């Protein structure tokens, strides 16, 4: 292979090691426009400079998931090129909005390692931080993936499983500086429901469905400079199918949740996330949500809502079978904090 | 459905009511680039800042149809989510160019209502106004749609059918402030034909054809934040087909008309428009035009040309059958004013 | 056809004639974002403003191939609308980077003509120059195409075959003003290999593959305002296939070459190029490269690497059959100079 990188294998990771990921990326109105073309995204704060200014921000920030995808995309060549499975997310916090003109890069610290009993692969936990051009952190999250070993006979590292919070505590969520919902315009935002209108346990069927094309998920995945072969190359899997980047479903579910959660303006924390089943072109994706919690913040008029949003090819509100496993139609199950006017 | 909006039904509209539509949108070079990727758009004024400056504008404006689509898209959740048919357009005037960085929102006034004899649905006429961040109107138009009733037994409103002009009079068309074609460069614009070279009744076959893909029309429709299910969800129609947003064909026809109408630089009025037949992915679309009228303006070097442009899957210049109905291959028939150098 | 242009035929060209091409184009972050969505482009200089500033440039330039495609696209209506074949490129030099906000136009001088013995068509050589809004040349290249005659009986022009350099001499390549690789960050760029790590004759298999969709190549080709029918219209060819714009494969091959050539940051010269076989949607494209030469420059830390990059549907390192012809799986064979840190 010579100059070409085959990516890291399980035995290449060292506990405590910090990996600076390549290819910084400047984002612009182009990324925002493409985001709107690829997903039915309508949350007003990420759509309108004026709406954002009324809410105390200098301009409309990039959708929080643009930040996530760009930061995540950079980690792929170092973390998940040889991943067998993307196992989970935890302790994600958005620390600062990203605006057109900002340049993002990311780095990851290896915080856990556990070789599987088969000896053929192992689980790697990393804490990834995304930074802007001023060296300010914009996002951090923990992700763990199962990675192949190059050589099954390579010695197993000492097992270290990090302790991770089930939920980012509401008082550790970071509200963007200046965010102020006291002048919030519910008509422009699209729905009248404020935080007090939601009750814990309430479930919302977001109704709309989107049938996905190959060109769409590939354009999205490339836009984030995510290079994992399985998304692009029909020869990469025995079934000749291109596996959709899991983040594509996260963005689709979030955008579909507008209908019922139009005022959940920004995602500020991701407590957990599971890609329950793979998604392929031709699938029609729907979403439903459940209110898990609500909380106060110190920012004027700004509350927090904790949501589970599920993307599915099947019926709303169905999640797990009698065996406790995700039903085959369920694609995604995420648990997150969003800001909402009180 | 709880928090989710099912859209308005016929009995929800009141004559004279003003509906402020949600989700303002800031446009950028991103929307322009996507417009050029989605349509074979080549009119120089919407392509080049320098060309626009020579024509007296501060920069290249967004294509007039970007303005139309963004303003229209916002109305969909309130006006046409439960529409059975998009019946027509009238009295559309572009009032001010839109530039990168502008934020658009829109509102609609209900100006007509007529329940159909079946009692199952009715026609709603709205006059929609698009505004920029300074509260200046950028576009207004009348549209009428047939909307389902939620409850067939709901009482019929008093019938009010608005009187609409067949044609926007040439002297009521608004020419963008500062527009000046005295230094117009026909070589850079792509064709030598000025207004005086066209004769009323002249027909032009625009020759080129475009075969449309699902990913393309869905990306376009989403870009305008148009949420109508039938465009995106294969389960939304009994035939499993995704119906193309009619505006996609308007943009396609306009872009194809470059070949023969390269100097019809900006659409400033839409007198009428009919989506004659539905369009689906795989269709190959062509266009032809007929010169309906010409007129003078007070702006230096700027004339007006009134055009019919027809999008079709069939042969040029065929429009209606012996029964007076549109032929099955005809997709779109629009009647509009454009500015052209004299 | 009336007002519509059918394009030029072989007998319409005159030796020495200069053709100014239509439709200037202002590029923005939108074109860049689309480029990243359409190709797996990761070279850091065209991705990050900050990386570019550390390298002495005022901001991240547009990918060099965006410049190429925009300049090339403008020539299509005048040069290759009636082309039977795109025969070759030579003497291409990028003369100045293009930045967001720049407006490009192009003109071509006819430098060679040769009617084919059949009398049905002939070869036209043009030297095309792309210019920015300041009238500064940004790119020049020679291209030759075989063009149909309108009238086979039209008299043949005097044959003139231009003398073209096999390779742009290294000392005639233009290094962007200010480019300085002394502070180059190899970690952010993605690979540790500097110019000295490559040896002439070395071959690199870029490993990754991309399966192409119709929507992708059509969006790309339209983005460059390339209007050749065969790319868009299933009725334009007897086989009902849409032929992919050859430039789409150039960009795809270049982007795929990141894996192994991440530090070949900018293309500054194109010595030769052949579209060996046509590419269609559904094809899975891979790339491999061979180092042809290395050279010094006067710019601090900046060297030149001369590369052959081949795009193929088949195996790496296979190029020609025993008959000396390109193998059927080979799509593209280009020979170019790129800048690389020494």
């Amino acid at each position: 292979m010579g100059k070409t990188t085959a990516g890291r294998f399980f035995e290449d990771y060292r506990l405590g090691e910090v990996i600076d990921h390549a290819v910084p990326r400047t984002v612009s109105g182009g990324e925002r426009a493409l985001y709107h073309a690829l997903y039915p995204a309508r949350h007003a704060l990420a759509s309108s400079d004026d709406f954002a200014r009324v809410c105390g921000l200098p301009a409309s920030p990039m959708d929080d998931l643009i930040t996530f995808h760009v930061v995540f995309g950079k980690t792929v060549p170092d973390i998940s090129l040889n991943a067998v499975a993307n196992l989970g997310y935890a302790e994600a916090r958005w620390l600062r909005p990203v605006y057109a003109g900002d340049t993002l890069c990311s780095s990851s610290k290896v915080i856990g390692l556990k070789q599987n009993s088969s000896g053929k692969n192992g689980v790697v936990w990393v804490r990834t931080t995304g930074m802007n051009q001023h060296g300010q952190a914009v996002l951090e999250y923990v992700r763990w993936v199962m990675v192949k070993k190059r050589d099954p006979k390579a010695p197993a590292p000492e097992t270290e499983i990090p302790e991770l919070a089930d939920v980012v505590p509401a008082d550790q969520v970071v509200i963007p500086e200046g965010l102020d919902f006291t002048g919030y315009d519910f008509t422009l935002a699209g729905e009248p429901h404020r935080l007090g209108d939601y009750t814990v346990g309430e479930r919302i069927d977001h109704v709309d469905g989107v049938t996905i094309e190959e060109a769409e998920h590939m354009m999205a995945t490339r836009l984030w400079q995510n290079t994992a072969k399985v998304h692009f190359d029909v020869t990469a899997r025995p079934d000749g199918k291109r596996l959709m980047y899991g983040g594509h479903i996260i963005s689709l579910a979030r955008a579909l949740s507008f209908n019922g959660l139009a005022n959940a303006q920004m995602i500020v924390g991701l407590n957990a996330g599971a890609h329950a089943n793979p998604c392929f072109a031709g699938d029609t994706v729907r979403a439903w949500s459940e209110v898990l919690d609500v909380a106060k913040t110190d920012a004027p008029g700004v509350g927090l809502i904790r949501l589970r949003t599920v993307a599915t090819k099947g019926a709303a509100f169905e999640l797990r079978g009698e065996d406790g496993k995700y039903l085959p139609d369920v694609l995604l199950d995420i648990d997150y904090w969003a800001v909402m006017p009180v």
Side-chain angles (χ1 to χ4, degrees), chain A:
Chain A
M1 306 255 290
K3 296 289 193 299
T4 310
T5 306
R8 283 165 169 250
F9 290 85
F10 180 68
E11 62 265 44
D12 299 328
Y13 295 93
R14 296 288 167 266
L15 197 69
E17 175 187 20
V18 173
I19 304 168
D20 290 323
H21 306 299
V23 192
R25 171 70 168 275
T26 305
V27 293
S28 78
E31 278 74 12
R32 172 178 300 164
L34 267 162
Y35 197 83
H36 281 99
L38 292 163
Y39 308 107
R42 299 180 69 223
H43 288 91
L45 205 64
S47 178
S48 163
D49 280 346
D50 274 38
F51 191 93
R53 284 187 195 116
V54 168
C55 295
L57 301 182
S60 176
M62 292 285 136
D63 192 290
D64 323 297
L65 292 174
I66 292 181
T67 304
F68 176 79
H69 295 313
V70 172
V71 169
F72 181 101
K74 313 215 154 315
T75 71
V76 169
D78 296 316
I79 306 297
S80 44
L81 213 59
N82 297 303
V84 182
N86 200 6
L87 298 172
Y89 305 97
E91 298 187 0
R93 297 189 305 158
W94 277 255
L95 301 169
R96 191 177 284 268
V98 171
Y99 296 99
D102 281 356
T103 300
L104 302 181
C105 61
S106 60
S107 69
S108 298
K109 182 173 184 176
V110 179
I111 61 167
L113 289 171
K114 179 180 179 298
Q115 182 164 314
N116 287 342
S117 54
S118 72
K120 291 185 184 162
N121 44 50
V123 180
V124 180
W125 283 259
V126 292
R127 187 179 300 274
T128 295
T129 305
M131 278 153 297
N132 67 18
Q133 69 276 22
H134 307 298
Q136 298 164 324
V138 298
L139 170 66
E140 61 172 29
Y141 64 89
V142 173
R143 168 162 85 116
W144 55 107
V145 291
M146 194 186 300
V147 180
K148 271 183 269 192
K149 289 181 78 173
R150 184 188 293 105
D151 173 9
K153 283 175 257 163
E158 203 168 331
T159 292
E160 169 78 29
I161 300 177
E163 264 188 67
L164 297 171
D166 288 340
V167 181
V168 178
D171 62 2
Q172 289 182 26
V173 162
V174 176
I175 306 300
E177 203 183 318
L179 193 71
D180 178 343
F181 281 165
T182 53
Y184 192 92
D185 186 328
F186 288 87
T187 300
L188 284 181
E191 289 184 351
H193 323 302
R194 52 184 75 226
L195 188 62
D197 298 328
Y198 291 87
T199 51
V200 174
E202 180 177 352
R203 289 172 160 203
I204 301 161
D205 177 357
H206 300 301
V207 179
D208 300 315
V210 170
T211 309
I212 308 178
E213 298 295 306
E214 300 281 13
E216 293 168 346
H217 76 84
M218 290 199 296
M219 286 182 70
T221 308
R222 270 192 293 258
L223 185 59
W224 320 125
Q225 298 177 311
N226 177 333
T227 56
K229 255 179 253 257
V230 287
H231 307 316
F232 302 109
D233 179 349
V234 296
T235 69
R237 288 165 48 101
D239 64 4
K241 288 182 172 180
R242 280 163 275 182
L243 182 68
M244 219 170 283
Y245 161 48
H248 194 62
I249 305 303
I250 299 179
S251 277
L252 194 48
R254 163 70 175 157
L256 287 169
S257 78
F258 179 90
N259 199 344
L261 287 166
N263 296 316
Q265 287 288 353
M266 302 177 88
I267 296 182
V268 286
L270 179 67
N271 302 308
H275 298 293
N277 284 290
C279 186
F280 299 102
D283 287 347
T284 300
V285 178
R286 295 164 201 291
W288 58 272
S289 295
E290 180 180 354
V291 180
L292 298 179
D293 202 355
V294 292
K296 293 179 181 175
T297 81
D298 293 334
V302 179
L304 287 172
I305 188 165
R306 186 180 154 207
L307 295 158
R308 150 178 281 165
T309 293
V310 174
T312 180
K313 297 187 286 180
F317 312 136
E318 295 183 356
L319 189 64
R320 292 179 187 274
E322 291 187 5
D323 57 2
K325 290 188 183 162
Y326 285 114
L327 292 167
D329 278 347
V330 174
L331 302 171
L332 174 79
D333 180 14
I334 52 171
D335 171 345
Y336 58 104
W337 287 108
V339 294
M340 184 178 271
V342 293

